[in-house]
């Protein structure tokens, strides 16, 4: 992207706390759990109810354990070993500091956090757009992703995807986009997952401009500051919690933007946020709800975002919740709309600044309409 300045329903310490906490403090917060050499007393294995290498759920189930009690000690090693379609990776509690790529041929893959708590299984790295590559050049926004998923039919449950790059630690880097996960495949589902970062945390995209990738996020937690949910996918965010972070490097508002969709003009469905909430660590009205991203690679894009039945905290600027990324593409010309939102950040004081769906229009702004013949919520 161009250079730009827990569990759902419970209080969630931010990734910033996670980064500055010492090992003991991190354990107390439940944010970083080291790999265990032995199983918990109440469990037969570190993989809980999901079996073990000696008692596989299926022949296509692989087990990941940082301490060596599984088939593989890294997530990427398990992905590489899972050739073909339909593999399941059961990941034991631990912090896996690595980058992971799920190529287009690894279709219908599922990752499961063994404990059922996403705080226990963390896949994290710290590349940013401007981080120098060993062979020269920099990683760029796409290359900064800790995890990249290109395959269709990917599902993740109870996993934390994180990028712990911090601007303050790298004043020499100006390209501070740092992606936790880039998702490009069709029929990609994330249930009970966390996405932690600052700028460009969750890249909900597609594999190519003419491909309309459908994605479903349910009961997930996402945090960041600048455009931290962005891309051109058709994505439904149901019962998700978005949290805007405080910033000490800026003196005035806005601190950032929650959404930056880049929906292709030909795509009738962009981002849908439904029955969720947006909270904030920042002062009141210091965040915009969204701004449109029209990338240089697709100057005909018409970004689309609908936020409905969602609580917006006071951190969102209620008077002017939308702004431009580039004046050549004003937000008023894009497909932004709201419906029945609540909270201090949803108060409509200047109607022209807050386009609202009619009741009739809202009938087509549903997960069913967005996802079509794909029904991932039935298995959640």
């Amino acid at each position: 992207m161009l250079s730009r300045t827990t569990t759902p329903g419970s209080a969630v310490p931010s990734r910033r706390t996670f980064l500055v906490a010492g090992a003991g403090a991190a354990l107390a917060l439940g944010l970083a759990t080291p790999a265990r050499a032995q199983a918990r007393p109440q469990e037969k294995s570190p993989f809980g109810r999901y079996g073990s290498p000696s008692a596989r759920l299926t022949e296509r189930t692989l087990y990941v354990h940082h301490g060596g009690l599984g088939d593989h000690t890294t997530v990427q090693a398990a992905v590489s070993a899972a050739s073909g379609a339909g593999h399941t990776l059961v990941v034991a509690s631990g912090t896996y500091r690595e980058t992971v790529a799920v190529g287009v041929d690894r279709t219908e893959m599922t990752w499961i956090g063994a404990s059922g708590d996403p705080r226990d299984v963390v896949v994290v790295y710290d590349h940013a757009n401007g981080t120098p590559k060993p062979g020269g050049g920099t990683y760029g926004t796409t290359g900064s992703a800790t995890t990249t998923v290109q395959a269709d039919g990917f599902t993740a449950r109870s996993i934390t995807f994180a990028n712990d790059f911090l601007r303050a630690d790298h004043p020499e880097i100006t390209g501070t986009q740092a992606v936790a996960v880039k998702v490009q495949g069709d029929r990609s589902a994330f249930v009970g997952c966390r996405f932690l970062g600052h700028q460009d945390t969750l890249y909900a995209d597609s594999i190519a401009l003419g491909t309309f990738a459908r994605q479903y996020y349910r009961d997930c937690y996402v945090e960041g500051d600048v455009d931290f949910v962005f891309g051109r996918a058709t994505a439904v965010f149901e019962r998700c919690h978005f949290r805007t972070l405080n910033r000490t490097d800026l003196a005035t508002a806005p601190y950032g933007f929650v959404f930056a969709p880049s929906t292709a003009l030909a795509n009738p469905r962009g981002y849908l946020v439904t029955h969720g909430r947006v909270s904030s660590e920042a002062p009141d009205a210091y965040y915009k709800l969204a701004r449109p991203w029209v990338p240089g690679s697709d100057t005909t894009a018409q970004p689309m975002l609908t936020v409905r039945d969602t609580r917006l905290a006071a951190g969102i600027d209620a008077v002017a919740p939308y702004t431009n990324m580039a004046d050549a593409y004003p937000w008023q010309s894009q497909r932004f709309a709201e419906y029945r939102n609540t909270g201090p950040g949803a108060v409509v004081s200047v109607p022209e600044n807050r386009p609202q769906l009619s009741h009739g229009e809202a009938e087509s702004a549903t997960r069913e309409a967005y996802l079509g013949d794909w029904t991932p919520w039935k298995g959640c």
Side-chain angles (χ1 to χ4, degrees):
M1 213 167 181
L2 296 177
S3 180
R4 303 177 305 281
T5 52
T6 280
T7 301
S10 63
V12 183
S14 73
R15 186 184 66 88
R16 191 167 290 170
T17 304
F18 163 55
L19 291 170
V20 301
L27 286 170
L29 290 169
L31 290 170
T33 305
R36 300 174 176 86
Q38 297 182 346
R40 294 174 178 175
Q42 69 271 26
E43 296 177 348
K44 294 181 180 180
S45 83
F47 306 105
R49 61 190 178 91
Y50 297 106
S52 68
S54 61
R56 296 184 193 279
L57 294 184
T58 71
E59 63 179 9
R60 288 183 173 269
T61 302
L62 297 175
Y63 297 88
V64 183
H65 186 278
H66 201 288
L69 298 182
D71 299 304
H72 303 279
T73 58
T74 68
V75 179
Q76 182 60 65
V79 170
S80 298
S83 59
H87 281 81
T88 296
L89 273 55
V90 180
V91 187
S93 296
T95 299
Y96 297 83
R97 177 162 286 277
E98 56 178 305
T99 59
V100 185
V102 181
V104 294
D105 57 336
R106 263 60 175 175
T107 56
E108 313 303 327
M109 177 176 281
T110 298
W111 295 7
I112 300 173
S115 75
D117 186 336
R119 295 173 297 180
D120 288 342
V121 179
V122 181
V123 183
V124 58
Y125 214 72
D126 63 351
H127 285 153
N129 178 331
T131 301
K133 295 173 67 174
T138 59
Y139 283 96
T141 298
T142 291
S144 74
T146 297
T147 301
T148 302
V149 179
Q150 295 183 317
D152 291 343
F154 179 85
T155 299
R157 297 176 179 270
S158 306
I159 303 278
T160 292
F161 299 87
N163 189 313
D164 59 2
F165 172 86
L166 283 178
R167 301 180 187 96
D169 292 346
H170 298 279
E172 77 284 2
I173 292 178
T174 56
T176 57
Q177 299 89 342
V179 177
V181 61
K182 180 170 184 176
V183 187
Q184 298 176 282
D186 185 37
R187 295 179 293 103
S188 301
F190 295 80
V191 180
C193 291
R194 299 194 308 159
F195 304 91
L196 311 183
H198 280 269
Q199 184 171 356
D200 291 7
T201 304
L202 172 54
Y203 197 168
D205 205 49
S206 70
I207 198 71
L209 178 58
T211 301
F212 303 157
R214 295 165 296 174
Q215 301 173 12
Y216 181 64
Y217 301 81
R218 179 164 176 169
D219 296 325
C220 291
Y221 171 84
V222 193
E223 71 177 26
D225 48 36
V226 178
D227 304 333
F228 62 92
V229 182
F230 75 111
R232 65 175 172 239
T234 293
V236 174
F237 301 90
E238 185 172 31
R239 299 190 329 212
C240 292
H241 178 188
F242 305 89
R243 186 160 180 82
T244 62
L245 300 176
N246 200 8
R247 297 185 65 172
T248 58
D249 58 322
L250 295 179
T252 60
Y255 277 0
F257 321 87
V258 182
F259 302 99
S262 58
T263 322
L265 177 62
N267 191 349
R269 302 284 186 266
Y271 287 176
L272 172 65
V273 179
T274 179
H275 294 89
R277 64 183 176 120
V278 179
S279 66
S280 183
E281 294 179 358
D284 291 358
Y286 266 52
Y287 272 87
K288 302 293 187 181
L289 184 60
R291 62 179 182 171
W293 176 32
V294 179
S297 58
D298 180 20
T299 56
T300 66
Q302 191 176 31
M304 182 178 185
L305 167 70
T306 298
V307 181
R308 61 171 300 170
D309 300 294
T310 291
R311 178 174 175 78
L312 307 180
I316 297 299
D317 182 355
V319 174
Y322 306 107
T323 190
N324 300 337
M325 184 177 294
D327 290 342
Y329 307 103
W331 72 265
Q332 293 91 342
S333 300
Q334 314 309 324
R335 295 176 284 178
F336 285 2
E338 300 178 56
Y339 182 69
R340 294 194 314 198
N341 293 325
T342 60
V347 173
V348 181
S349 57
V350 183
E352 59 267 32
N353 286 348
R354 307 205 73 146
Q356 303 290 314
L357 296 179
S358 68
H359 294 307
E361 290 170 334
E363 292 180 357
S364 63
T366 64
R367 67 185 180 192
E368 291 85 356
Y370 272 58
L371 301 182
D373 60 359
W374 179 47
T375 57
W377 61 87
K378 291 186 177 180
C380 296

